[in-house]
């Protein structure tokens, strides 16, 4: 009997199979790039590269008459030497509004999406140039687009309370939603409490198995982005919500490999990332209707509250699983600015 894969092993397998499918659509010489980067990149990173490179080679095929009648897989490596920095800048313009392949529509890429695709192309060129397989590296001459910083959206204390209250009562849900709420109230409250009380990613949350939770230590083992396993601790308030749901969950047998999953759907299968995202959206629209709240915004909310309480940016970085503290500093710099502004009133020179 074949060993049943864990949730995280199954996810890696699905990514690997999808990557293999995309490689069959790319020029043959691309395979050496993916073999070369495999030892020091995560599977999700390689998958993102594959999607980005398909966009790039479709640009070449669509915009260069020489390759218009050529199959994508037959585009030769020589094309990399033929392109100039100006061609890649033209590609950046193309990315802003590019055709949606197979549909009569356009895909609009925002600054972040364009920057990622150009970063992927730079890595692609660097690999072949460093290996001596091409003679030029025009991508190295192209500057990444500037990203205009946006205000970080997060929930305030009163909005957090409203979100959890609504998940508990369901009073403001539609009649149809209230019917489902009767069956999912404890699960929804437990999931939202865990996200808001630990700052974990939604993928980490839905990947939790029953055995991962230690109620005595108020701790849960999670698989971080990149496969690293860590222990995250939660408060007594979160523990209560989790335990209330667990008493209900342990009476249900999960289906189709979901026997050990902690969070189950109404079909008794492991709750998917998409379903969990919709769950957050449903309650957030009631608690904070003017804010676009996603699971990542709940993560920002936790990070903000932890930093406000402790002032320890290194602790926040560690708990959130950031490998680089500068990432954390960038996100919570506004709080530091407010602290510095408040310092103007902290020291009095003379008594009034």
């Amino acid at each position: 009997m074949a060993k049943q894969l864990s949730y995280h092993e199954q996810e890696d397998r699905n990514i690997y199979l999808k990557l293999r499918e995309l490689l069959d659509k790319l020029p043959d010489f691309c395979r050496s790039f993916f073999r070369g980067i495999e030892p020091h990149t995560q599977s999700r990173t390689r998958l993102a590269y594959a999607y980005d490179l398909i966009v790039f080679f479709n640009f070449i095929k669509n915009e260069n008459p020489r390759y218009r009648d050529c199959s994508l897989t037959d585009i030769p490596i020589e094309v990399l030497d033929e392109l100039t920095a100006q061609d890649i800048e033209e590609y950046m313009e193309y990315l802003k509004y590019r055709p949606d392949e197979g549909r009569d529509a356009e895909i609009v890429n925002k600054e972040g999406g364009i920057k990622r695709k150009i970063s992927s192309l730079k890595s692609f060129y660097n690999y072949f140039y460093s290996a001596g397989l091409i003679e030029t590296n025009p991508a190295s001459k192209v500057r990444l687009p500037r990203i205009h910083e946006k205000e970080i959206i997060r929930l305030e204390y009163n909005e957090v309370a409203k979100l959890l209250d609504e998940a508990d009562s369901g009073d403001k849900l539609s009649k149809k939603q209230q019917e489902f709420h009767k069956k999912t109230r404890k699960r929804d409250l437990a999931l939202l409490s865990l996200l808001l009380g630990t700052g974990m990613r939604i993928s980490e949350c839905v990947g939790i198995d029953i055995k991962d939770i230690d109620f005595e230590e108020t701790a849960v083992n999670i698989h971080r982005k990149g496969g690293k396993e860590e222990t995250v601790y939660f408060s007594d308030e979160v523990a209560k919500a989790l335990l209330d749901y667990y008493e209900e969950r342990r009476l249900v047998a999960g289906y189709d490999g979901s026997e050990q999953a902690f969070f189950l759907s109404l079909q008794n299968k492991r709750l998917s990332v998409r379903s969990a995202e919709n769950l957050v959206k449903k309650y957030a629209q009631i608690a904070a209707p003017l804010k676009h709240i996603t699971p990542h915004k709940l993560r920002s909310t936790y990070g903000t509250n932890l930093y406000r309480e402790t002032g320890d940016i290194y602790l926040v970085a560690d708990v959130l699983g950031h490998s680089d503290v500068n990432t954390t500093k960038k996100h919570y710099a506004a709080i530091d600015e407010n602290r510095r502004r408040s310092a103007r009133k902290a020291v009095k020179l003379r008594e009034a």
Side-chain angles (χ1 to χ4, degrees), residues 24-39:
D24 289 338
K25 299 178 181 179
L26 283 166
D28 291 339
F29 67 88
C30 294
R31 293 180 182 275
S32 63
F33 168 69
F34 285 94
R35 284 194 298 270
I37 66 172
E38 183 171 1

Side-chain angles (χ1 to χ4, degrees), residues 7 10 31 37 43 80 95 109 127 131 148 190 261-262 329:
Y7 168 75
Q10 185 65 47
R31 293 180 182 275
I37 66 172
S43 56
L80 300 183
L95 287 174
N109 277 297
Y127 171 80
H148 294 86
F262 187 70
K329 286 180 178 178

Side-chain angles (χ1 to χ4, degrees), residues 197-200 218-222 224 230-234 302 319:
T198 65
M200 68 174 63
T218 58
V220 55
N221 289 328
I222 61 172
R224 289 290 194 196
E230 284 188 4
T231 300
V232 173
Y233 297 90
F234 47 84
Y302 172 79
V319 173

Side-chain angles (χ1 to χ4, degrees), residues 311-324:
D312 188 340
I313 198 68
Y314 293 95
L315 174 64
V316 176
D318 183 52
V319 173
L320 291 180
H322 288 165
S323 56
D324 184 356

